[in-house]
Amino acid sequence: MDKLGADVLLGTRGVVEPRKRETHRGSVELDSPDDTKPTNPDASPASREGSIKPAPVDVVGAGLAGSEAAWQLAERGVPVRLYDMKPERLSAAHSSPDFAELVCSNSLRANTLGNAVGLLKEEMRQLGSLIIRIADETKVPAGKALAVDRLEFSRGITEAIETHPNIEIVRERVTSIPESRPVIIATGPLTDSELAEDLSRALGEEYLYFYDAISPTLYLDSIDESIVFRASRYDTGDDEAGDYLNVPLSREQYEDFVAELLDAETVPLHEFEAAMYFEGCLPIEEIARRGPQTLAFGPMKPVGLADPRTGRMPHAVVQLRQEDQSGTLWNLVGCQTKLRVGEQKRIFRMLPGLESGVFARFGSIHRNTYVNAPVQLDERLQLRTRKGVHLAGQMAGVEGYVESAALGYLAGVGVARDQLGLPYEAPPAETAHGALLRHLQNADAKHFQPMNVNYGLFPALDKDILRPPKPNGGRGKKLPKREKNELLAARALDRLVAYREAVVSAGPLPLGPPSIPPLGANPPEGIA
């Protein structure tokens, strides 16, 4: 079995009858029949009135997408069997027995409406997403981005899932598509080799794949803060001193660092695997190969930062972002890598202030597996060749933590409504959820690759808004990007109202103003 293909974890947990249910951290006692009620007592009129008794739904994989899908089903009164292989077996990239483990980074990226992923998060908040609720509860300082304490985040998700009376956790490996229908498969980028083969047979084509690379993490007390300085670009951020640690490099230091990256030994790929990296998560050494100054204009750009020792902007800067709420662990932003461990120690300790750096976690690579969504999936994220088999998360053709969880939400809500005899509700195309779904349906199948949400996927604004007409028949200046994004976000949240009223089982909640920060003059920083 291919180790990099890494076996996905499958699992489940407790049900509707009062009993003591074991977890990997202890036991939970259900004291009375009342404890068997769904967390949401107003779940779906159909289930509430007893007109339809929904059959259990199998969800395979308890990552971000699987956990979100299971939660949305359970909150609507639909019993769930959630399969996960943890803690019996762990993939090559996972180390924790908890669900929804963040592997690549602790950042969920931008948290403002100026960025489409910030809008996606706000939509998820308003729709009742478990993933975003726990992310908000476990956030750490990260400027205009939403970053979390990755351990507390996963623990929070796990606890919510384990204690939900409508979710049964089955801790066993799944090696083929379950016979039950409907089923949601959300096994993520490290899908078990045998399950991947079975899916491939069902699809009639081979999977596409690429590698995601993980950034190293260091202990704060091993970093020399007389050289490394705290700051946020343009003095933005939650902490007055700055949310990021910044390693300043002179031109000579930068060029030496790049030269060593280019000469370093990397972990080799298997002979039968092609190096198809996702553009948004390229290993730092691969970025360096694109040109000697590419890093200085990319993840190591110094704009908006001044070295307090000189008062000047360095030639390049490596940023470190806080990993945990206690501020003990810091990861090297944009330094995801497939360098061998010895080379990581040698090269990253070349950076000023990191000469004595102690690594809590080394960078690594892992395979990502996904289907050709325009060919294989319908508008309900259902396999065209296997009705009742739904895919969610990265394997459905999106990239990023938030996008994966969003597809889990859509799959969970869609299957729940079908189980309850309710009509399918598609998210409006003008919303971030709708834009993602539309991309999966309409992208060029010949060149399909996973995509992060971005405003380029949204339906265009009216031309009279983009370039207002003049009295003389001409048109005014093109609307600035910032203002255009504000209008796209406002339109999305407006269209979300009716969708939310249709799909939120307990009825619509007050929408009010957005709960994330408004647009700022400068783009979010530190996004790997």
Side-chain angles (χ1 to χ4, degrees):
M1 183 177 294
D2 173 13
K3 273 194 170 181
L4 283 174
D7 303 300
V8 82
L9 325 169
L10 306 151
T12 72
R13 159 109 208 146
V15 281
V16 271
E17 296 194 3
R19 61 186 175 91
K20 182 180 286 187
R21 300 177 297 168
E22 297 299 324
T23 76
H24 63 264
R25 285 196 296 275
S27 63
V28 176
E29 187 74 45
L30 298 182
D31 297 322
S32 72
D34 287 341
D35 290 328
T36 66
K37 292 179 181 178
T39 301
N40 178 2
D42 296 318
S44 168
S47 61
R48 195 167 60 233
E49 296 168 8
S51 58
I52 292 181
K53 200 169 185 179
V57 172
D58 288 347
V59 177
V60 184
L64 294 165
S67 295
E68 187 70 67
W71 182 262
Q72 297 305 326
L73 283 157
E75 283 290 274
R76 287 160 174 77
V78 179
V80 179
R81 287 188 295 257
L82 177 61
Y83 288 80
D84 200 279
M85 198 165 61
K86 289 184 176 184
E88 180 184 342
R89 295 183 66 172
L90 298 176
S91 77
H94 292 86
S95 59
S96 166
D98 289 325
F99 300 152
E101 183 180 357
L102 302 183
V103 173
C104 192
S105 165
N106 72 321
S107 174
L108 276 66
R109 307 183 353 257
N111 202 32
T112 68
L113 295 177
N115 190 299
V117 76
L119 170 63
L120 181 60
K121 284 196 280 289
E122 179 60 16
E123 291 181 8
M124 294 174 73
R125 286 186 184 97
Q126 296 194 17
L127 291 170
S129 163
L130 172 68
I131 298 300
I132 298 303
R133 172 166 67 81
I134 300 299
D136 285 336
E137 291 174 1
T138 59
K139 67 181 179 181
V140 297
K144 293 182 180 179
L146 175 60
V148 301
D149 181 318
R150 68 172 78 218
L151 296 180
E152 290 303 315
F153 171 80
S154 294
R155 286 170 186 160
I157 298 294
T158 305
E159 182 177 348
I161 294 293
E162 286 183 335
T163 56
H164 200 297
N166 285 340
I167 300 177
E168 177 189 359
I169 298 172
V170 183
R171 296 190 179 279
E172 63 183 46
R173 180 180 170 217
V174 173
T175 58
S176 61
I177 301 172
E179 294 298 322
S180 62
R181 297 291 183 271
V183 60
I184 297 174
I185 299 177
T187 46
L190 301 182
T191 295
D192 176 84
S193 301
E194 292 183 48
L195 177 57
E197 290 173 8
D198 192 50
L199 279 167
S200 183
R201 287 190 292 270
L203 298 174
E205 67 173 340
E206 293 299 316
Y207 269 77
L208 301 174
Y209 54 90
F210 55 80
Y211 281 83
D212 279 340
I214 300 169
S215 296
T217 299
L218 285 79
Y219 288 100
L220 177 65
D221 59 9
S222 70
I223 298 171
D224 185 352
E225 292 193 67
S226 69
I227 299 173
V228 177
F229 62 94
R230 287 181 182 262
S232 295
R233 294 189 200 277
Y234 310 103
D235 294 322
T236 61
D238 297 331
D239 191 311
E240 186 176 342
D243 291 339
Y244 289 78
L245 294 178
N246 300 274
V247 179
L249 286 84
S250 66
R251 187 180 189 93
E252 182 181 358
Q253 290 169 326
Y254 169 81
E255 290 175 349
D256 288 346
F257 177 70
V258 170
E260 292 300 323
L261 280 177
L262 295 175
D263 289 341
E265 186 179 1
T266 59
V267 177
L269 302 179
H270 289 270
E271 292 181 2
F272 57 87
E273 293 169 324
M276 295 174 61
Y277 301 106
F278 174 61
E279 191 69 20
C281 205
L282 283 171
I284 188 172
E285 59 273 14
E286 295 299 323
I287 300 174
R289 296 186 203 287
R290 295 185 171 185
Q293 295 300 317
T294 303
L295 285 170
F297 286 90
M300 293 176 64
K301 62 182 180 294
V303 294
L305 295 166
D307 187 343
R309 297 177 302 165
T310 64
R312 298 191 302 273
M313 185 174 71
H315 180 75
V317 166
V318 173
Q319 289 194 303
L320 292 96
R321 180 175 55 229
Q322 186 174 328
E323 279 267 350
D324 59 335
Q325 289 181 321
S326 65
T328 303
L329 303 175
W330 293 72
N331 70 54
L332 289 159
V333 176
C335 293
Q336 52 271 6
T337 183
K338 59 188 181 73
L339 297 178
R340 290 193 178 277
V341 167
E343 295 286 66
Q344 291 185 49
K345 291 180 181 178
R346 179 178 68 83
I347 293 172
F348 289 117
R349 285 176 179 164
M350 290 176 57
L351 296 172
L354 303 188
E355 293 87 350
S356 301
V358 176
F359 292 81
R361 171 186 175 124
F362 290 100
S364 65
I365 60 172
H366 61 272
R367 190 182 71 183
N368 197 347
T369 310
Y370 60 97
V371 301
N372 191 328
V375 174
Q376 300 294 353
L377 300 180
D378 67 14
E379 71 280 359
R380 301 188 185 199
L381 301 175
Q382 181 177 228
L383 289 180
R384 298 182 189 276
T385 56
R386 292 278 187 97
K387 295 301 181 183
V389 178
H390 301 257
L391 301 189
Q394 288 186 235
M395 71 185 313
V398 296
E399 179 62 21
Y401 295 150
V402 183
E403 290 88 340
S404 297
L407 287 199
Y409 178 91
L410 292 174
V413 169
V415 171
R417 291 182 65 81
D418 189 57
Q419 292 295 92
L420 296 169
L422 299 172
Y424 173 70
E425 289 282 346
E430 297 87 355
T431 64
H433 284 79
L436 270 179
L437 201 55
R438 192 174 73 151
H439 169 71
L440 296 181
Q441 293 296 298
N442 300 329
D444 180 3
K446 291 183 179 180
H447 304 97
F448 180 75
Q449 279 198 322
M451 177 73 74
N452 289 121
V453 67
N454 63 81
Y455 279 124
L457 302 179
F458 289 58
L461 294 167
D462 187 271
K463 64 179 182 180
D464 287 345
I465 296 175
L466 292 173
R467 297 193 68 180
K470 290 183 175 181
N472 61 7
R475 292 194 173 271
K477 291 183 178 180
K478 186 177 179 181
L479 196 69
K481 181 179 178 181
R482 179 187 171 203
E483 293 180 28
K484 184 180 79 170
N485 289 352
E486 284 180 323
L487 291 174
L488 287 169
R491 183 183 68 177
L493 294 176
D494 179 67
R495 299 291 193 277
L496 188 71
V497 175
Y499 176 71
R500 183 184 186 188
E501 290 177 351
V503 301
V504 174
S505 57
L509 301 175
L511 288 180
S515 58
I516 59 176
L519 282 170
N522 301 306
E525 67 177 325
I527 298 174

